Amino acid sequence: MHIVFATPILNLDLRDTLPPPHFPTPMDTLVKRVPEFRESRLASLFSDFADLKEINPEGYAANVDAWAALLSEAIKSHLFKSSVSVPTAKLAQDLSYAKYGEPKSLALVLEELVRSKKFIPFSIYKDTSPYGTRHLADYISPMKWLSATWAVMKLSSFKASNRSGHLAPETYIHIDNLAVVGDDIIKQVQSRLDKEGVYSSKLLDGDMFASLVREVHDHISDTDLEVLQTYISRDAGKMTIVKQNSKSDKTYIKFGTSNAEISEEDIAILKLKSSIHTMAQRISLLEHRLDEEIPQRIQKLLKVKDSSREERLRSVLIQKAQVKKSLLKCQKVSNQLVTVLEAINDAQGNVSLFETLQSTKATLQSLNEKVSIDELDTLQGEIDEEIASTNAVSDALLVSRDGIDEDEIDDELEKLEAEERDRAEEGISEKSTSEELQKKLEDLKIQDTSPPKQPEDSKEKSKSPELLHS
């Protein structure tokens, strides 16, 4: 008796046994771009290398510098949706590498970069500048010195991780990159405002500033906007910022200098500009409804075949009429607001022109006071006398011509000129005679009197008898 064991048939899919495909991540691209992250060093760079600070200081410093280079490249590549900062939210995850996972010494690296002043936490940057003293008040104000000293102490003792060992919520600003991006934004915004050429153009609120910055530079996060406001106003000194009150986030900005005063008139202009902006958004929404949304609804209802179609179409048409009425009203209000703003700009231009004329008049008056009409007449007379004296001296110094017959000199000069004219005429005559002779020679025909040439045959015949005779 034979026992046969049935072999179970396994329905295996080979795809279930293969590892999942690896798609390139932004970190893969960064590692390839940064030379310090070569394959032979990756294990050390992603490990906990805190012990290297005592065992191998050079290797420790090399690892920190490598991470500094990678973070800088990550900012330039906008890995963190930013142009100047590195947020800690999801930072370890963003910097993870397939083979080695998340970096184990990220907090240590950030602390070293803060101490070396390559990066600065935003929580500290808000209170003090890393770019050195730029204003006279910074030298003489005790509070400025205390603030700077406190910031240095806080930087030296800064901890990037919390008690649980994870990265503490923070945003780290790349100091050098902030200066480059900030100065470029200042240049582009100033150029755009100069082209507009009106007073109200340099008055902005927070939303207007954000919109303008994002128009001239890509990849600006909300935190970047706060950082740039601080940099442009405090560190670069190119704009003044005033908060509406402590309970509101509303800010008023005057671009151009950090020492300008934002007056009540400026705030009124800003509110007017804000109303114009709001009205423009309202008009855009109504136009969208009138030109796209409502026509689409009408076309959709026209395809309906039930009894309610007519009533629904009527309702949509009523809405269309209401939207059209609201749009016309908003356009009218917007035109009025724009007219008021232009009138304010004209009035401000008149004030500037009046102030210019006043200062010009004062300058002219100051210059004219330095000149006396009476003294000017006296001075002119004295100058005329001195000129006359000078002419008299010059006449006295002329060489005397006594004893010379002027008529004889004139006769001799006339004789020389006549001889010169005669020589010139003789030269012309000789040239004309030579040209005539040349022409006659060219026209002359000479008759040929030499005997005519004999033919070759006759020459041979004449020679033959002589040969026979010989």
Side-chain angles (χ1 to χ4, degrees), residues 79-81 87-96 102 106 167:
L79 177 64
F80 312 114
K81 307 297 187 294
T88 56
K90 298 174 60 180
L91 179 60
Q93 181 180 345
D94 290 337
L95 298 179
S96 63
E102 296 180 357
L106 191 54
L167 289 177

Side-chain angles (χ1 to χ4, degrees), residues 69 84 92 121 139 207-208 258 266 296 330 377 387 459:
V84 297
Y139 291 99
D207 294 336
M208 297 175 193
S258 61
D266 294 335
Q296 290 175 2
C330 289
D377 293 338
I387 291 174
K459 289 182 179 179

Side-chain angles (χ1 to χ4, degrees), residues 133 136-152:
T133 302
L136 180 61
D138 296 341
Y139 291 99
I140 61 179
S141 173
M143 293 304 298
K144 294 286 185 180
W145 281 106
L146 289 174
S147 177
T149 304
W150 172 83
V152 171

